[in-house]
Amino acid sequence: MRRMAIALFALLLAGCSLSGDDKPGDRTVVLVTHDSFAHDPAVFDRFTAETGIRVEVRKSGDAGALTNQLVLTKASPLGDVAFGVDTTFASRALDEGVFAEYRSPAAAEGPQRYVVDDSGRLTAVDVGDVCVNVDVAALESRGLPVPTGYADLADPKYKDLLVVEDPATSSPGLAFLLGTVASFRDGWVGYWEKLRANGVLVVSGWEEAYTQEFSGSSGQGPRPIVVSYASSPSAEIGEDGEPRTRALLDTCFRQVEYAGVLANAKNPEDAGKVVDLLLSPEFQRTVPEMMYVYPAREGVELPEAWAKAAPLPENPATLPAAEIQANRERWIEQWRAAVQG
Amino acid sequence: MARGRPGLSPALLGLLPLAFLAVFFAWPVGAIVRLGMDAAALDVLADPGTWRIVAFTLGQAAAATLVAVVAGLPVAFLLARVALPGMAVVRALVLVPFVLPTVVVGLAFRGLLGGGVLPIVLANAFFNVAVVARTVGGLWAHLDRRAEDAARSLGASRWRTFTAVTLPALTPALGSAAAVVFLFCATSFGVVLLLGGARFRTLETEIYLRTVELLDLSGASALSLVQVTAVVAVLVLGARARRRREAALKLRARVESARRPVGGEWWVVGAAYAVVALLVVPIASLVARSVDGGFAGYRALSGTGHAGSLSVTGWEAAANSLRTATDATVLALILGVSAAVALVSLRRARFIDALDTALMLPLGVSAVTVGFGYLITLDALPGDLRTSAALVPLAQALVVTPLVIRLVLPVLRSIDERLRQAAATLGAGPWRVWREVDLPLAGRSLLAAAGFGYVVALGEFGATSFLARPDTATLPVVIGRLVSRPGELNSQMAYAACTLLMVVTVAVALVVERLRAGELGEF
């Protein structure tokens, strides 16, 4: 029996993932964020060397899941600073008092263009527009011109070619729906009825839409028109150096991602410094390649592939965060009735 | 059983898994459900739409369970009773579906069959054929073949022998397997979302939507209560059916009961191979995608994906997977065996069904409910477990423990009570009885439980993706992450990682197989 117990204990130690747990240093800031967060470790390392602050990243879910977790844990937050609450969820986070006031000196360098309210609790870090993407070659082979805007998508010429994400389960899906609301106002339901008559395919997430149904990605699916991001074409550069896909810049909805210091944070002072880090030119330069989004700071150069394949849309549709918060669920219900009823 | 003997009774071991359940399951789930309980929750219950979702959830789970049982039985026969070359490979192969991340299997089924109800049912069954084959096969291998031979020599047909002799003996394992499969199918999430779109909604997807995206906690609470009620009802029915059939069976070693098939048995063997071939179709399509366009995906495993999509390399994720699964398995074995031993020693207690059901509950409750429950409760424990790397193996153990119980319990229960009584009469204390009688007889199923539990932990996605930190991401989490980012390299790497996960699974299964063959004094 004793031998068995020893063997068991040895096994426990050998495989233990608990024993390798790193000890937090004196000045550690926990950054809570969503699954899509990605960063260049070198930038964070330099920050640690300069300030003595170590940044620990915790990811959980998409932007919606992140916001809701922050709301649930606001009395005892999971970290000190949060990044990734976006336009669609900003109002909920602010109404619930998730964030404390912190005005970064860098907020005037461009982020101020995307400010939600004047309370100084959320600072814009990046901009990621959701736009319709097209597979140029596939359209050409069908003898079709590249569509230019929303109206073309309802044109029978483009019947059965569009795939979109369900706004109830997908963040780009919701953004696209909001774009049509912003453009058509009261007529948006009618527009979706036309899309439905024109054979729009609805799938639950971006993965199926882009990697499986869309013909311009590695999955080489059947449909040449998809709802994705303004930046997606930069990942689809062909061997000749030309992008195989293109974003339709008149179908874009602007999604801004924000950072803020959490209320009740253990280390609010250092947390503010991490917000500064996210707004620094060094970090901002990396966001296109790392997260497929555009820097919120002005004067940050985009990578070469982006300049060619993925320019930032100039006149995207927008909606005030408060209006989205007030109507989100009703719009999704109306959309369900119109498109799937 | 040594009733009335002084000293610690094995029944007290049951307190260990119960304490674990109380802290890491009952408390968090209770807290999140209570948070949402208000008048609006009642409106959700009054909505006929809710009951349509309940009906669809139960219906698709029942259909998928039926398919998995019908497909799994011939495979169980093959694994238990047939001595043909290559059995070890088949045994390892049927486990593969179980570890595949739902998102990848969902995409594979979408590619092969499109969306809709039938693909949902088939995909759910695909994951679970292994549960039936392994659980039922585990007991079948130990059934004394002579009872069947006697029936045959008395003139019973093969079919009659099967229905009158074999099937009743297998009922405990069959009941166990069906209950587990039903729970998995009723709470399956990724597959329903991918193949059902927004048209086919289950309790699980609806709880997810309301909790994670809408923060409609009152709606989610109401649905969680409905889910728990339905699950408990099914479990109680299952436990009743199992217990009615329980009898001490004469268990034999596998070598005695396996042989070359004869006559009509070849049909069953053929059916089993057909099932295995069908299981291989989606698997093969995944492997084919991983080498679509060369081995770039495999080379990419040593990196972090296109433009640093990940915080770990593919190989580091594989190492994380192995480490976490080891912790989870060890923990689940300790908890599961304690629970099984306690359940056996309490075989006549009145509350045993309740206990048995409680131990199974974690399989039937939404991972989202548990995960969000952790968020609002575990900060009260020292060290704030909510953000600790230790939470992942703990959550995986929650899923693996019921499976260990279900694999070990039928075998422990079918051990002839008189063996234990004889040992006790000869002066052995309860612990010694357990060590000298139960352990050697159940050794094989313990090993099987360890191997199966390890594989389940390797493939666990729901709780792990919610709880894992970026630097401790496991292979399934990494795969899910890679397919959700654009870029051809990410896609190739995702499918290569999938193949890697399958290879690891098969390797683990083969190692368990080898250990088992080396175990001489099994019976």
Side-chain angles (χ1 to χ4, degrees):
Chain A
M1 199 63 190
R2 188 176 302 145
R3 224 175 329 145
M4 228 176 81
I6 292 172
L8 205 66
F9 189 64
L11 193 65
L12 259 171
L13 280 185
C16 209
S17 60
L18 320 183
S19 53
D21 222 357
D22 32 27
K23 281 185 197 68
D26 288 331
R27 294 178 69 190
T28 300
V29 170
V30 178
L31 168 65
V32 191
T33 183
H34 52 54
D35 286 337
S36 307
F37 179 77
H39 70 284
D40 180 354
V43 174
F44 276 37
D45 289 348
R46 218 171 304 134
F47 172 76
T48 308
E50 281 166 14
T51 60
I53 302 170
R54 213 172 62 81
V55 184
E56 208 176 294
V57 179
R58 303 268 164 77
K59 303 185 195 180
S60 39
D62 61 8
L66 170 70
T67 310
N68 293 337
Q69 289 180 44
L70 293 175
V71 169
L72 276 178
T73 57
K74 62 185 175 190
S76 165
L78 296 164
D80 306 290
V81 58
F83 162 76
V85 171
D86 66 11
T87 315
T88 28
F89 290 98
S91 271
R92 174 176 292 169
L94 292 175
D95 294 349
E96 295 274 356
V98 166
F99 290 100
E101 183 177 341
Y102 174 71
R103 294 177 196 272
S104 169
E109 308 285 331
Q112 80 283 356
R113 292 173 292 170
Y114 310 111
V115 74
V116 187
D117 63 8
D118 53 10
S119 67
R121 289 175 293 174
L122 283 178
T123 313
V125 172
D126 65 61
V127 176
D129 289 6
V130 170
C131 311
V132 171
N133 278 214
V134 295
D135 177 354
V136 182
L139 285 174
E140 252 170 39
S141 71
R142 284 168 213 252
L144 290 170
V146 170
T148 57
Y150 289 117
D152 281 350
L153 301 177
D155 185 330
K157 258 199 305 201
Y158 297 101
K159 194 168 171 54
D160 297 334
L161 299 185
L162 170 67
V163 53
V164 305
E165 298 87 357
D166 184 342
T169 52
S170 152
S171 133
L174 179 59
F176 182 64
L177 168 63
L178 296 176
T180 61
V181 173
S183 297
F184 293 93
R185 298 313 309 184
D186 291 341
W188 73 267
V189 176
Y191 174 69
W192 276 97
E193 280 163 357
K194 274 192 247 161
L195 282 186
R196 182 187 184 179
N198 212 26
V200 62
L201 175 68
V202 180
V203 296
S204 61
W206 180 89
E207 290 87 344
E208 303 109 280
Y210 192 82
T211 64
Q212 197 163 32
E213 296 295 339
F214 181 48
S215 61
S217 69
S218 57
Q220 292 164 6
R223 295 196 171 224
I225 311 178
V226 66
V227 169
S228 188
Y229 297 89
S231 59
S232 306
S234 72
E236 308 291 352
I237 307 276
E239 274 160 20
D240 57 354
E242 290 300 316
R244 288 180 297 233
T245 64
R246 194 187 298 170
L248 306 183
L249 299 184
D250 289 335
T251 60
C252 299
F253 182 79
R254 176 137 297 171
Q255 265 188 323
V256 182
E257 291 190 294
Y258 298 92
V261 174
L262 291 168
N264 306 314
K266 286 192 201 80
N267 192 355
E269 228 159 89
D270 288 347
K273 297 222 171 68
V274 174
V275 174
D276 297 350
L277 164 68
L278 297 179
L279 297 178
S280 68
E282 293 77 31
F283 181 82
Q284 289 279 305
R285 238 193 311 275
T286 64
V287 299
E289 303 247 278
M290 288 288 156
M291 293 192 275
Y292 299 97
V293 289
Y294 303 82
R297 196 182 172 105
E298 276 174 308
V300 178
E301 211 172 304
L302 288 177
E304 210 176 310
W306 284 53
K308 189 188 287 175
L312 181 66
E314 276 170 19
N315 297 306
T318 54
L319 283 176
E323 190 184 344
I324 299 173
Q325 175 62 23
N327 296 294
R328 188 195 302 114
E329 279 157 48
R330 188 170 60 86
W331 284 338
I332 291 176
E333 275 314 310
Q334 283 178 304
W335 178 89
R336 274 191 170 166
V339 179
Q340 299 180 308
Chain B
M1 282 296 282
R3 260 178 294 274
R5 281 183 75 91
L8 227 55
S9 155
L12 286 179
L13 270 181
L15 293 178
L16 192 65
L18 280 182
F20 179 79
L21 269 188
V23 175
F24 292 104
F25 180 71
W27 178 37
V29 170
I32 193 88
V33 168
R34 212 182 49 212
L35 194 65
M37 264 303 131
D38 55 23
L42 292 177
D43 296 343
V44 175
L45 294 182
D47 179 2
T50 302
W51 297 102
R52 273 199 301 278
I53 292 174
V54 172
F56 180 72
T57 306
L58 299 180
Q60 63 87 21
T65 307
L66 189 69
V67 173
V69 167
V70 169
L73 268 182
V75 182
F77 173 79
L78 184 74
L79 298 182
R81 279 293 161 86
V82 174
L84 283 174
M87 274 307 109
V89 175
V90 173
R91 193 186 297 274
L93 201 63
V94 293
L95 269 184
V96 167
F98 213 84
V99 292
L100 293 178
T102 46
V103 50
V104 198
V105 172
L107 288 175
F109 270 77
R110 262 190 79 91
L112 294 168
L113 298 169
V117 181
L118 186 67
I120 292 178
V121 169
L122 290 182
N124 273 336
F126 169 80
F127 281 113
N128 289 302
V129 168
V131 179
V132 178
R134 307 281 294 203
T135 315
V136 178
L139 184 59
W140 206 336
H142 288 307
L143 284 189
D144 192 338
R145 193 153 200 160
R146 283 171 299 184
E148 293 159 57
D149 293 342
R152 290 282 288 145
S153 62
L154 290 171
S157 68
R158 273 187 201 288
W159 179 247
R160 176 105 208 270
T161 309
F162 177 73
T163 53
V165 179
T166 318
L167 202 54
L170 290 179
T171 307
L174 208 54
S176 274
V180 169
V181 173
F182 186 87
L183 292 186
F184 273 133
C185 296
T187 56
S188 116
F189 170 70
V191 161
V192 179
L193 206 58
L194 269 160
L195 299 172
R199 269 191 311 142
F200 300 105
R201 292 186 280 164
T202 62
L203 280 173
E204 186 77 12
T205 63
E206 199 64 17
I207 289 171
Y208 167 83
L209 275 186
R210 287 181 193 248
T211 311
V212 173
E213 300 294 340
L214 305 176
L215 202 65
D216 168 16
L217 287 183
S218 60
S221 288
L223 293 176
S224 294
L225 282 184
V226 173
Q227 191 180 37
V228 169
T229 313
V231 163
V232 167
V234 170
L235 284 175
V236 168
L237 285 177
R240 285 241 175 97
R242 274 202 304 278
R243 280 171 53 73
R244 221 181 306 135
R245 292 292 192 167
E246 253 167 33
L249 306 161
K250 278 217 164 58
L251 297 186
R252 317 295 306 178
R254 175 178 150 79
V255 271
E256 281 178 47
S257 70
R259 65 180 182 212
R260 265 184 78 81
V262 288
E265 284 176 0
W266 280 106
W267 288 104
V268 185
V269 171
Y273 276 118
V275 170
V276 173
L278 284 176
L279 292 181
V280 167
V281 172
I283 297 174
S285 80
L286 292 176
V287 176
R289 269 198 89 159
S290 78
V291 291
D292 188 20
F295 289 89
Y298 291 91
R299 281 192 297 273
L301 284 176
S302 57
T304 53
H306 181 67
S309 296
L310 309 167
S311 309
V312 290
T313 68
W315 299 115
E316 282 165 355
N320 284 339
S321 277
L322 295 176
R323 233 186 2 246
T324 319
T326 307
D327 294 347
T329 309
V330 170
L331 186 56
L333 275 182
I334 295 171
L335 295 170
V337 171
S338 309
V341 169
L343 283 173
V344 168
S345 64
L346 288 171
R347 79 166 39 204
R348 285 191 191 81
R350 219 174 278 157
F351 53 87
I352 187 155
D353 278 352
L355 193 60
D356 198 342
T357 305
L359 292 167
M360 293 288 284
L361 260 186
L363 286 187
V365 171
S366 169
V368 170
T369 312
V370 179
F372 270 67
Y374 283 175
L375 288 181
I376 59 166
T377 49
L378 294 190
D379 57 320
L381 295 180
D384 201 347
L385 267 180
R386 293 181 303 174
T387 50
S388 156
L391 197 52
V392 175
L394 287 173
Q396 289 180 348
L398 205 56
V399 180
V400 177
T401 305
L403 297 175
V404 171
I405 297 176
R406 288 276 77 92
L407 276 168
V408 174
L409 195 58
V411 178
L412 282 186
R413 273 193 177 149
S414 57
I415 291 170
D416 198 329
E417 182 67 27
R418 284 169 300 183
L419 278 177
R420 296 195 185 102
Q421 284 162 353
T425 315
L426 293 171
W431 291 106
R432 179 120 193 249
V433 170
W434 192 76
R435 202 170 80 230
E436 304 275 346
V437 177
D438 297 53
L439 195 58
L441 279 169
R444 182 185 152 80
S445 69
L446 259 180
L447 209 55
F452 193 52
Y454 192 80
V455 164
V456 174
L458 271 185
E460 210 288 326
F461 181 73
T464 309
S465 66
F466 188 82
L467 300 170
R469 294 171 5 181
D471 54 331
T472 58
T474 60
L475 272 179
V477 173
V478 158
I479 293 165
R481 178 102 189 80
L482 285 170
V483 295
S484 66
R485 310 245 306 173
E488 199 155 349
L489 184 69
N490 281 343
S491 165
Q492 285 166 339
M493 185 175 166
Y495 288 100
C498 234
T499 311
L500 177 63
L501 185 61
M502 295 189 225
V503 169
V504 171
T505 306
V506 170
V508 168
L510 287 177
V511 166
V512 171
E513 195 80 355
R514 185 53 59 83
L515 283 177
R516 203 187 282 176
E519 200 179 274
L520 281 174
E522 201 183 82
F523 279 86

